[in-house]
Amino acid sequence: MCGRTDAERPAAAAAFTHRQRPARFFRRRNADRAPPHFRTMELHDKELQAGETLPVVIIGNGPSGICLSYLLSGHTPYLLPNSWHPNPLLHSKLGEQPHLSLLEQDLEYLCEGLEGRSSNPVAVLFDSLLLPDSDFGLEHTSPLEWRYEPERAVPHLVLGKGPPGGAWHAMEGSMLTLSLANWMELPGLKLKDWMRDKRRNLRNDRATPAEIASYYQHYVSQMSLEQNFACGTTVTLVTRQPDSGDGAPPCWRVSGLQRREGEVLGDGTSVSEEVPFSLLAHNVVLATGTHDIPARLGVDGESLPFVCHSFWELEAAICRGELDQSSDPVLIVGAGLTAADAVLAAHHLGTPVYHVFRRSVTDPALIFNQLPKLLYPEYHKVHQMMTQQQHRPPSLHEDAQNPPSSSSSSTASSSYSGYLSFPRHKVLRFQPDRKCVLESDSGLRSVVQVSKVLVLIGAHPNLSFLDDRGRSLSIDPAEPVSCRRNPIDVDPFTNRVVAAGGPGMYAMGPLVGENFVRFLKGGALAIASDLAKGQGEARDGGEAVLPRRKWLETSALV
């Protein structure tokens, strides 16, 4: 059994016997192979001449890429006649030009005065239109209607390593997601309605990762988007092409490998092969997500074999029987949802836990202080543990080098025995003898003996196909790209990458700080709107900005 969480996938509590195991656990599966019923478009199947340029290439086929593909395929949002929005200012603005689609309207004007849980204004706007007042637990009808207008479609290609749905296919099982189900649906297909067809007894507003992955894959088929998706593709290089001198605008070259099935063996199995491809595109959209490369502390001893950076490694150790009630404590570093899942897993097993994190337990930015207690009881339990079982720094009469114990907690009696939190602490170093040196923000040090360490402090996206892994595109080019600390710097109303070194590069989703599917849809709206307005300006000027020109080159054709 394995498990993992994402910004929207959350709830792992752990038990490891068949009888006790809760329905919230899931395990990793091979996300790189599309299920047999999904027909992925193979690049070599395209009957196009070499040298042509595709209007848009989207790198990443998770919910960000899927939503953008839906909008670029001609599905257009309009204001419903006689519709109503609970925000009177937005309602008034929407009524000023009801004949225009949302893609044609001034998004910056519509965003003025809106507030929400996202820092990206178009994300707040689109969320308020798709799910009015959902933050208050209300389910108002959306004032939008979707019209299919094929004449608005922009030819595009969506590249992804696995089947449509991205990282959701790296999970399976029945663990509940953090977000309410309707927060993770995409335009045009109600997730709850789809779930009712799959699940006879729908008793919870939170879906499972397996259901969400299946929903996204079904969405692509239901909306007839398959022809835009090339699965099994790994992008290895994105470069800006110089001006050809023939008056054509500069473009981007996207190179990589596509996995496809090769020769069928005698036992019926087939040998897969990777075929190089090279695409030319006027516009490139970065939609890869940010959970590829675990973040590191950068301290001495972090590469020692007992120091891990993945929840999977904890579960593997549990499966191998390496951890039990008699083990030395597991040290968990981090105060996010994945760290909380690790706490729950180890605590349920009875393995002692030391929990180290930089923030105070009362810090409003701590995710546990933002989650409703009734919806997320498992995370409320972790927050209680963090609060009630805090390490008490040694007094002048105590030896700071002695390992802390539950007796040094701030609560004499507790139902959370075997757990000890270290708020406002950092790790100084790990030692080969499995001792870890911790330091509080006041400078006091503690040394703890551990069996294993899990450093769960987030992750960085894999942008190895960009120069310097995309650092120059971030808000702080001196630091790696990070969803929470250092996202890619984009124009807030178009999602154009500010430091791209040329027009035609966009970024969306977690790369620009949007962890939740609920809000990443705003990035799709911003990009589709910007591209649509570019097309309109080109038509008015008598020339095409997004021509359907030569776009494919593969080594198989050369």
Side-chain angles (χ1 to χ4, degrees):
M1 171 174 52
C2 303
R4 177 183 173 183
T5 60
D6 200 269
E8 316 239 13
R9 353 174 247 233
F16 298 92
T17 67
H18 176 73
R19 176 175 297 179
Q20 294 176 326
R21 184 172 60 195
R24 293 191 296 275
F25 249 88
F26 57 84
R27 56 189 173 84
R28 189 177 182 87
R29 67 181 180 193
N30 187 348
D32 293 333
R33 299 185 64 86
H37 62 273
F38 188 86
R39 172 69 169 93
T40 179
M41 185 270 284
E42 293 187 354
L43 297 178
H44 73 284
D45 286 342
K46 286 289 184 180
E47 296 180 359
L48 297 169
Q49 298 179 8
E52 293 194 271
T53 304
L54 186 68
V56 182
V57 167
I58 303 168
I59 304 174
N61 66 354
S64 295
I66 295 173
C67 187
L68 181 55
S69 178
Y70 178 75
L71 292 172
L72 295 183
S73 296
H75 299 277
T76 310
Y78 285 86
L79 183 68
L80 268 169
N82 303 317
S83 60
W84 172 83
H85 193 279
N87 184 314
L89 178 60
L90 180 57
H91 178 76
S92 175
K93 290 180 179 180
L94 290 170
E96 293 174 7
Q97 295 181 303
H99 61 287
L100 293 181
S101 74
L102 193 58
L103 299 178
E104 299 168 286
Q105 299 208 30
D106 185 342
L107 297 184
E108 184 172 359
Y109 172 64
L110 295 178
C111 288
E112 290 176 356
L114 295 181
E115 296 181 354
R117 295 187 181 183
S118 171
S119 59
N120 293 317
V122 181
V124 175
L125 168 66
F126 205 27
D127 178 71
S128 68
L129 292 173
L130 293 171
L131 302 167
D133 277 353
S134 61
D135 280 339
F136 303 104
L138 304 176
E139 293 192 19
H140 292 305
T141 300
S142 171
L144 298 181
E145 66 171 342
W146 291 88
R147 303 177 191 172
Y148 178 55
E149 300 175 331
E151 68 276 7
R152 293 184 182 271
V154 178
H156 63 281
L157 187 64
V158 185
L159 306 179
K161 294 180 180 179
W168 290 93
H169 288 280
M171 302 169 277
E172 67 178 16
S174 56
M175 171 178 158
L176 297 176
T177 60
L178 176 62
S179 293
L180 299 176
N182 63 338
W183 287 4
M184 290 183 292
E185 70 187 19
L186 298 180
L189 181 61
K190 289 289 185 183
L191 179 55
K192 282 187 178 179
D193 293 343
W194 181 84
M195 287 172 58
R196 286 190 181 95
D197 292 338
K198 302 293 180 181
R199 209 201 293 178
R200 289 186 177 180
N201 298 317
L202 188 62
R203 296 176 295 177
N204 199 308
D205 281 342
R206 292 161 68 188
T208 69
E211 288 170 332
I212 296 300
S214 181
Y215 166 79
Y216 289 142
Q217 190 163 318
H218 175 79
Y219 183 93
V220 171
S221 299
Q222 180 74 18
M223 301 303 173
S224 301
L225 305 178
E226 299 105 320
Q227 70 273 14
N228 301 318
F229 282 72
C231 301
T233 56
T234 300
V235 174
T236 57
L237 187 64
V238 173
T239 55
R240 185 70 173 165
Q241 294 296 104
D243 191 340
S244 61
D246 59 1
C251 59
W252 299 91
R253 181 175 294 278
V254 181
S255 304
L257 301 169
Q258 184 178 35
R259 185 184 62 255
R260 72 179 197 228
E261 297 304 317
E263 179 184 358
V264 178
L265 303 179
D267 59 359
T269 61
S270 60
V271 178
S272 62
E273 57 181 342
E274 292 187 324
V275 178
F277 68 86
S278 181
L279 307 171
L280 295 176
H282 287 299
N283 300 278
V284 170
V285 181
L286 307 177
T288 59
T290 66
H291 298 277
D292 296 313
I293 305 172
R296 299 176 67 88
L297 295 168
V299 300
D300 290 344
E302 194 169 3
S303 296
L304 290 168
F306 66 92
V307 181
C308 306
H309 295 81
S310 166
F311 186 84
W312 303 111
E313 294 175 272
L314 172 65
E315 290 197 326
I318 292 173
C319 291
R320 292 192 298 266
E322 296 176 5
L323 299 173
D324 55 32
Q325 297 179 3
S326 62
S327 303
D328 285 330
V330 172
L331 177 66
I332 298 171
V333 184
L337 300 178
T338 307
D341 292 336
V343 168
L344 289 167
H347 184 70
H348 189 94
L349 191 68
T351 302
V353 174
Y354 292 148
H355 188 188
V356 177
F357 45 96
R358 300 293 296 269
R359 298 183 184 274
S360 163
V361 292
T362 57
D363 191 326
L366 199 68
I367 184 63
F368 308 102
N369 292 319
Q370 303 173 23
L371 299 177
K373 296 178 181 178
L374 293 178
L375 278 178
Y376 310 106
E378 64 275 61
Y379 289 130
H380 177 55
K381 174 183 177 181
V382 173
H383 192 222
Q384 281 186 322
M385 296 166 71
M386 294 164 66
T387 303
Q388 297 179 12
Q389 292 285 109
Q390 296 183 43
H391 166 61
R392 177 172 55 84
S395 67
L396 294 176
H397 303 291
E398 294 176 315
D399 183 1
Q401 298 299 310
N402 287 332
S405 66
S406 58
S407 63
S408 64
S409 71
S410 59
T411 306
S413 60
S414 172
S415 58
Y416 304 127
S417 60
Y419 170 90
L420 195 61
S421 71
F422 290 78
R424 297 187 295 183
H425 276 68
K426 65 180 180 181
V427 176
L428 285 186
R429 64 179 178 274
F430 302 109
Q431 300 177 175
D433 59 358
R434 296 182 184 259
K435 285 186 170 64
C436 306
V437 182
L438 312 177
E439 183 178 73
S440 70
D441 59 1
S442 61
L444 291 175
R445 296 186 178 183
S446 302
V447 179
V448 295
Q449 181 76 47
V450 302
S451 58
K452 187 173 289 292
V453 175
L454 270 86
V455 179
L456 302 172
I457 56 173
H460 300 297
N462 183 0
L463 297 176
S464 58
F465 53 84
L466 295 174
D467 185 44
D468 197 22
R469 299 183 178 272
R471 284 194 181 203
S472 62
L473 308 180
S474 65
I475 292 176
D476 182 1
E479 296 293 328
V481 176
S482 167
C483 171
R484 291 179 176 82
R485 299 179 181 86
N486 192 35
I488 290 178
D489 191 12
V490 296
D491 180 281
F493 301 103
T494 65
N495 276 52
R496 293 185 186 181
V497 177
V498 173
M505 177 173 279
Y506 299 85
M508 64 184 302
L511 290 175
V512 300
E514 291 299 356
N515 267 327
F516 293 90
V517 173
R518 172 186 172 187
F519 291 117
L520 61 79
K521 292 173 280 192
L525 175 65
I527 295 170
S529 174
D530 194 49
L531 292 172
K533 289 168 183 172
Q535 278 188 301
E537 292 170 2
R539 283 192 297 268
D540 294 340
E543 58 182 73
V545 166
L546 298 173
R548 192 176 188 112
R549 299 172 56 187
K550 301 179 181 180
W551 61 275
L552 175 67
E553 296 176 31
T554 69
S555 62
L557 300 179
V558 176

